[in-house]
Amino acid sequence: MRYFTKQQGQKEAVPVDLESLGQDRYRLTVNGKTFQVDALSVDQGTLSLLVDGQSYNVEFEENGDEIGTLVRGQVNRTDVADERKLRMRAAAGSFSVEGRQVILAPMPGKVVKVLVKVGEEVKEGQGLVVVEAMKMENELKSPKAGKVTEVFAKEGTAVENNAKLVVVE
């Protein structure tokens, strides 16, 4: 199966081919370089990987098309899409959200940082609030350009799944 991945800060998506070899073994090709991977699920959200003889423990969480990983103390956020999803995104690219947008907590966690204030003008994709969940920080971004009309998030407080954090109009 072919996927396209893009880490934060990357300009271009990278093609990744993943082929199952059976019994938790895979052939992974990234930018033309091939790796042999043995994968074992340790528990929910954690994999033990053996990549060309090197051992890695990887903690991960999925948030829509984005996958957050923790490998050897380093956190990475990667957008992952197959060819069909890329075509759908391109087709939807000309549409934008309108009206009042309420940004909700994607899962239970703790508000680490509030990046905006009431009355502030924001751009589409601008960070609004950072929530820590499952040992990973998630920056929640504005789905549209507009003005912040309400801020419910307070730094250091715990939030439940779907808690209101910020409103952009």
Side-chain angles (χ1 to χ4, degrees), residues 95-138:
F95 299 102
S96 61
V97 295
E98 294 182 12
R100 182 176 197 256
Q101 298 296 310
V102 180
I103 290 65
L104 305 173
M107 63 185 63
K110 178 181 175 184
V111 176
V112 176
K113 192 167 205 163
V114 178
L115 304 170
V116 294
K117 304 181 281 221
V118 171
E120 187 173 334
E121 293 288 332
V122 294
K123 298 176 188 164
E124 181 178 342
Q126 180 177 335
L128 302 173
V129 65
V130 178
V131 176
E132 181 183 294
M134 295 177 61
K135 302 179 191 172
M136 297 185 64
E137 291 187 356
N138 302 288

Side-chain angles (χ1 to χ4, degrees), residues 78-93:
T78 306
D79 180 70
V80 179
D82 60 19
E83 292 179 84
R84 178 178 172 271
K85 187 155 288 199
L86 281 181
R87 284 193 304 272
M88 289 175 61
R89 284 181 184 173

Side-chain angles (χ1 to χ4, degrees), residues 2 7 10 22 28 36 42 52 54 65-66 77 84 93 117 121 123 162:
R2 174 162 273 193
Q7 290 189 339
Q10 274 185 322
L28 179 69
Q36 298 298 318
V42 178
D52 287 344
Q54 293 286 329
D65 294 335
E66 186 177 80
R77 300 198 109 17
R84 178 178 172 271
K117 304 181 281 221
E121 293 288 332
K123 298 176 188 164
N162 291 324

Side-chain angles (χ1 to χ4, degrees), residues 27-47:
R27 180 176 297 121
L28 179 69
T29 305
V30 181
N31 269 343
K33 186 169 181 185
T34 301
F35 303 91
Q36 298 298 318
V37 179
D38 289 302
L40 177 64
S41 180
V42 178
D43 62 51
Q44 185 158 352
T46 305
L47 290 175

